[in-house]
Every structure is written in structure tokens, then in C-alpha cells.
Amino acid sequence: MKRVLSGIRPTGDIHLGNYLGAIQNWISMQDQMDENLFCIVDLHALTTLEDVKNLVGNTRIMAAAYIASGINPDQSTIFVQSHVPAHTELSWILSCITPMGWLNRMTQFKEKAGKQRENACLGLLAYPVLMAADILIYKATHVPVGDDQKQHLEFTRDIAGMFNREFKKDIFPLPDPIIKGPATRIMSLRDGTAKMSKSDTSDYSRINLMDDADTLALKIRKAKTDADPLPAQVKDLEARPEAHNLVNIYAALSGQTADQVCKTFAGSYFSTFKKDLTDLVVAKISPIGQEMQRLLKDKGELDQVLSRGSMRANTLAETHMQEVRDIVGLLKPDEGVNRTRQMDVLKSIA
Ligand code: AQP
């Protein structure tokens, strides 16, 4: 059984990095896998509360982005993480076998906490445990993500192995990270050494899926580059991170390798290359943005997709959660006794 699970935090404008690093791979896997689950990980958004604006709106925007990009809700399960309580239940159980040393080594925690390590919230430190639960609760076998999530995926495999050994049951498959293509790490348009990110304060650092054609053209025109022409081979771009990034974006959107792009544009200056890149970005991204705008006009329809998704996700997650409760040795509630107690309480109130 090949089952895919992946997700994005609804923390702001969904950008080209999210699309090329994650969603494009989800779409290519849709037909190849037995089951696909795509989650909007709203509980993860709470780990950086300062960045959380309009969580409800952003959750719907993310659902619209998934569908507009090509995730078919009749074929794949699209749902919201907080609608499936088993994620947090499993997260707690996993956190009880997670060594603190493993969490302290996570580079994303170090980057996000920065110098405020002592004041950083527990949720930010525990983020990888919840992410492991997101994946393991569905016994997912494949997880398509961008390069920045590599360490969290290794952590998930380690924790799954540890749980299986600790309880002497092969319950969790070790999920395979799918990190592929020329766009596993799209960089900021303003700084080729920083990841394109929703939380970057400069909107000119990223290409948003909902940017209109004029904004896309302006952002690419303003993107940082250098005065040298493009080389014939991508290896000669190693010391030119901004130029390398734009070539990677062109390659990913046109379905070519970065070397093929270099060959085509060898000797051209960025003034020429940027014009072709703009045409390509507008042709690929504008229709997605327009479809998102259309989908967002009918919130009822979007909410229905999410509620259908959460029904499927809950059914699967609860089946696996029951196995986990049995394995760790939690007492099952006796339904008969529970009902009698409820009646007693109701009588005492009456
Ligand atoms: N720049 C990127 N290049 C390639 N892939 C990327 N991803 C994110 N940025 C890039 C991939 O998108 C998926 C969802 O990421 P996320 O929103 O859950 O978390 P993130 O990695 O923290 O993304 P951002 O945009 O940087 O959000 P903020 O600013 O809120 O932290 C993941 O598969 C990720 O690899």
C-alpha cells in the first residue's frame, strides 16, 4: 500500500517555493499512489503565533491553492489538521518516547528560535513530534517535501523505528522522503542565500501564487542578479546564488534540467533571460491564481471539500489510533459503563 501524506502551514501567502518544492510533486504522485492525503497544517501555524494573521482565511486560501494547482478532491483527501484530533493524541504518545537531545539538534528550531531560545515556546521545539504524528497516524509511506524538511523526515523515521522497537510491533512503516527536481529549495528573489519564505517581511522576496501578471513581472524585473552573462553549464553558477536560483525556477517551471536552461541561454544577459522567465512564470502561475480567486468566492463549496476530507482522514486516523492505544496499553472506555454514568449524572442534575 503506497500512501502519501504532505502539508503546508497556512501562515501567509502561498509562494512559488511551496508550489515547486511540494505541490508540484504531490500532483505528479496523485496517479501513482494508492492513496493521497494533503493536509493544511493549521496547528503547526500556532508555533509562530506572531506570524499568524487570519488563520481561518489562510486555511481556505491554502485549500483553494491545492485544488487550483491540480489536486483533485475526488481523487485525493484534502483536510485540515485540527479537524482530526488523533494527530495531537499520537503526538503526545510519541513525545513520551522522544529523547530531548533529538529535538535540541533540529536546525529549524535553532533558526526560528534564534537568540530567543530560552523564551521560545514548547510547541516550536516539539514541532517535529507533531509532524511525525501527522505522517505516522496515516501510516504514510511517501512524504513529498522541500529540502528544508529533510531533517524532520529523518526524525520521523527515527521515531517510527524507536516506537516499533519499544513496543515490539511493526506498526509504523518508515516513510520515504520524496525530495526531487531542480526546485527542492527555491531562494528569495532578494537574497540567493535565504529560502523563499512566507514569513519574509519583503513581499518582493517571493512570487505568490495569487500575484497578478503585472506584479509577477515587476518582482522578476526587480529580482537581484549580476552583470555577467549566463554560462553554458550550471556548475559555473555556483558562486552566483541569485542567478542560479532564477535558472532553477525556469528549469522547474519548464520541466527541464538547469543544465538544459543554461545551454539555451548561454551568453545571454539577465535583461533578456528575465523577459523569458516572466513569460513562463505568468503562463504557469497566473491561471492558478485566477482559479484560486474563483474558488474563494464560494467558501461553502471549499468547506464542503474540507469536511469530506476530514471524514476520510478521521476514519483512517482513528483506526490506527485504536491500534496505538492497544499497543501502549491504555484501558479502553467501557461503553456500557460510560452510558450508565452519563444517565446518573443527568438524573443528579435534573
Ligand atoms: N523556498 C522553498 N523551496 C522549496 N520548497 C519549499 N517549501 C517551503 N519553502 C520552500 C516546502 O513547502 C512545504 C510547506 O512548507 P511550510 O509552509 O509548511 O513550512 P515552511 O517550510 O516553513 O515554509 P515557509 O514558506 O518558509 O513558511 P514560514 O515562513 O511560515 O515558515 C514544505 O514541503 C516545504 O519543504
Side-chain angles (χ1 to χ4, degrees), residues 239-251:
R240 298 165 63 188
E242 286 84 12
H244 197 172
N245 188 38
L246 294 188
V247 167
N248 279 346
I249 291 175
Y250 193 104

Side-chain angles (χ1 to χ4, degrees), residues 9 11 15 17-18 112 146 148 184 186 195-199:
R9 303 194 315 147
T11 39
H15 55 74
N18 300 134
K112 290 212 159 140
D148 59 326
T184 56
I186 296 294
K195 192 181 78 128
M196 186 178 283
S197 167
K198 294 183 232 98
S199 52

